[in-house]
Amino acid sequence: MLQKTVLFLALVARVLLLDNGLLRTPPMGWLSWERFRCNINCEEDPKNCISERLFMEMADRLAQDGWRDLGYVYLNIDDCWIGGRDAQGRLMPDFKRFPHGIAFLADYAHSLGLKLGIYEDLGKMTCMGYPGTTLDKVEMDAETFAEWKVDMLKLDGCFSSAKERAKGYPMMAAALNATGRPIAFSCSWPAYEGGLPPKVNYTLIASICNLWRNYNDIQDSWKSVLSILDWVVEHQDILQPVSGPGRWNDPDMLLVGNFGLSFDESRAQMALWTILAAPLFMSTDLRTISPQNIDILQNPLMIKINQDPLGIQGRRIFKSKSQIEVFKRPLSNDASALVFFSRRVDMPYFFHCSLLQLNFPRYRVYEGQNVFTRDVISGLHSETNFTVIINPSGVVMWYLYPINNLEHTHVPVVRPQE
Ligand code: GLA
């Protein structure tokens, strides 16, 4: 009897939960929204409007300019691709802007070793007013996406009620599962509930979504980055334990390469998103991005840290009166990443600290690397004071691992005589 019950529950779980085995590390790729928005003015702006051409050109850049090989494999369409529904109610793209359809784009992405993501909204309309996925359309739309060979769905929540969301998000997770095609599921659900318990059941969210937005949209400014960071830090006790392999908090896209951030702020966003085990979705023009910004986004050690297999989200562990904060993320093989972050607006700050003050164990020696400058760090004892010089609204980022354990060298070892 017990065995039968367990089997039954396991079957129910398989059907209800997403359990798609996807995104064991945070997704990396490109998403159109922040930079290209709902620009549908293809007559005046053919290079930048939301169209097949834009996605194919980004796909080419992802494949040819080193992005794909570093892990940036998702090519994700956001809002404003939909043309309407056909006589059977099936979604269709705007054929003026996507003349060959979405399946063609998916094939194109796949032929380049990329994956295609798409956007819909659980409601009457998308946030920009295109036809949404009402509850009666959930299954049909999941099937359509699978037929098109789509690899990720971002399901937004504009024009939906709390009741519809509570029903619709789990329903879509089950419908995606039922297609048999592995489709990563990005939910905006928590963002529409204010992103906190008691209205958000994160255990449920994490069991049906691979990633989820909690908070406001990112805009092209440092102020926006800070407001998101502040929110995440304020609620890190709730958010941090929920994330892990296959389920990630999504603080929204990277702004690197756009107009609003300075060089130091761009590095800071990249470092902070990495320490938070956030998805790395660029939203910038990869056709014109500068070598300096490519350097930030293609930093191999940064990506290794973001993609660490343990998948533990980092936390802010220290905050000083001098407006310096330290973030720490535990990594596999006893390694860790540290971000020293300055909120100052005056000049580079000399920050004095020791690893012991940052909760590292006693009597250890560490080595590693400064993630941006690539300078080697060696022979750093937990107890030794060090100084990092942090630019205003900038970061210093370290990758560290212990090379030995001195715990016992201070204790005489007495061995029994043979
Ligand atoms: C919402 C989402 C954004 C973007 C837009 C599209 O605002 O949060 O990320 O998808 O809708 O309209």
Side-chain angles (χ1 to χ4, degrees):
M1 180 62 190
L2 181 68
Q3 253 181 344
K4 272 190 180 162
T5 317
V6 170
L7 192 68
F8 174 72
L9 288 177
L11 280 175
V12 170
R14 256 199 78 74
V15 177
L16 288 183
L17 303 185
L18 188 65
D19 193 22
N20 58 13
L22 295 172
L23 306 190
R24 305 309 292 169
T25 61
M28 296 171 63
W30 185 91
L31 177 58
S32 55
W33 182 255
E34 200 294 312
R35 172 63 181 81
F36 294 94
R37 306 281 168 153
C38 195
N39 175 0
I40 55 170
N41 186 359
C42 293
E43 260 139 56
E44 216 176 346
D45 198 6
K47 271 187 70 153
N48 301 303
C49 65
I50 297 301
S51 68
E52 185 175 289
R53 172 177 173 183
L54 180 71
F55 290 96
M56 289 175 76
E57 290 187 1
M58 289 307 151
D60 293 342
R61 299 279 49 87
L62 285 171
Q64 288 170 34
D65 298 344
W67 304 103
R68 176 198 62 204
D69 300 341
L70 284 161
Y72 290 98
V73 294
Y74 281 98
L75 171 73
N76 288 6
I77 306 172
D78 208 281
D79 205 347
C80 307
W81 64 271
I82 301 173
R85 291 187 181 271
D86 69 11
Q88 284 80 47
R90 286 181 200 281
L91 281 170
M92 297 182 303
D94 179 319
F95 282 112
K96 272 208 208 95
R97 289 182 285 118
F98 294 87
H100 300 92
I102 304 298
F104 164 84
L105 258 189
D107 283 347
Y108 189 71
H110 297 152
S111 75
L112 295 173
L114 302 170
K115 295 174 186 295
L116 189 77
I118 206 157
Y119 168 99
E120 242 297 10
D121 185 287
L122 187 71
K124 279 187 281 301
M125 292 185 286
T126 70
C127 298
M128 293 308 296
Y130 292 81
T133 301
T134 43
L135 292 182
D136 57 313
K137 294 285 192 306
V138 166
E139 276 168 20
M140 181 188 272
D141 290 355
E143 277 160 24
T144 304
F145 298 142
E147 236 164 67
W148 288 345
K149 299 206 178 76
V150 161
D151 305 290
M152 186 185 297
L153 169 66
K154 169 175 169 182
L155 190 62
D156 214 336
C158 276
F159 306 106
S160 67
S161 69
K163 250 189 172 172
E164 283 163 339
R165 291 191 291 276
K167 206 163 173 200
Y169 278 97
M171 203 189 223
M172 180 57 92
L176 291 175
N177 252 4
T179 67
R181 181 173 178 81
I183 300 179
F185 190 27
S186 163
C187 303
S188 304
W189 187 8
Y192 287 85
E193 311 293 344
L196 285 176
K199 286 194 181 155
V200 176
N201 175 349
Y202 276 109
T203 314
L204 173 62
I205 302 274
S207 70
I208 65 159
C209 309
N210 295 113
L211 58 151
W212 53 84
R213 287 272 311 281
N214 295 300
Y215 191 62
N216 296 347
D217 288 4
I218 199 156
Q219 308 294 345
D220 197 1
S221 78
W222 180 238
K223 187 171 152 241
S224 169
V225 172
L226 281 184
S227 74
I228 293 172
L229 183 69
D230 287 343
W231 194 88
V232 170
V233 169
E234 192 184 336
H235 305 297
Q236 62 181 359
D237 289 345
I238 294 167
L239 301 175
Q240 190 270 342
V242 194
S243 89
R247 44 213 188 89
W248 310 104
N249 286 298
D250 178 9
D252 216 358
M253 289 155 273
L254 295 166
L255 302 174
V256 183
N258 295 336
F259 312 100
L261 301 191
S262 71
F263 176 61
D264 277 282
E265 289 162 352
S266 302
R267 280 181 158 188
Q269 193 197 11
M270 186 70 183
L272 290 161
W273 262 228
T274 291
I275 216 98
L276 292 172
L280 297 180
F281 287 122
M282 307 181 282
S283 186
T284 188
D285 192 340
L286 298 175
R287 298 165 299 194
T288 55
I289 186 172
S290 72
Q292 216 181 30
N293 285 320
I294 292 179
D295 234 31
I296 295 175
L297 293 162
Q298 292 198 350
N299 181 319
L301 182 52
M302 181 73 75
I303 291 169
K304 178 182 150 119
I305 296 169
N306 178 273
Q307 296 289 297
D308 185 81
L310 277 186
I312 299 175
Q313 180 174 326
R315 300 170 68 97
R316 187 176 75 188
I317 56 159
F318 178 89
K319 182 184 178 202
S320 78
K321 281 199 201 87
S322 48
Q323 292 183 286
I324 303 299
E325 300 179 9
V326 183
F327 291 74
K328 185 180 179 188
R329 176 173 171 189
L331 304 170
S332 46
N333 300 322
D334 225 5
S336 356
L338 286 175
V339 168
F340 303 93
F341 172 46
S342 170
R343 289 184 187 248
R344 297 179 71 88
V345 290
D346 51 0
M347 57 187 249
Y349 187 82
F350 284 59
F351 177 66
H352 309 289
C353 197
S354 74
L355 293 182
L356 200 58
Q357 284 173 287
L358 301 175
N359 312 329
F360 281 73
R362 285 183 177 279
Y363 311 131
R364 295 251 176 120
V365 183
Y366 289 82
E367 63 179 28
Q369 222 175 343
N370 179 314
V371 178
F372 286 112
T373 64
R374 271 83 152 169
D375 288 342
V376 169
I377 300 162
S378 63
L380 180 62
H381 289 239
S382 317
E383 288 74 10
T384 310
N385 285 323
F386 59 79
T387 305
V388 283
I389 307 168
I390 319 163
N391 289 346
S393 60
V395 289
V396 169
M397 185 171 186
W398 284 3
Y399 173 73
L400 289 178
Y401 48 89
I403 51 167
N404 67 351
N405 186 343
L406 301 182
E407 221 150 41
H408 302 296
T409 57
H410 296 253
V411 184
V413 183
V414 182
R415 291 185 201 287
Q417 293 212 325
E418 287 190 1

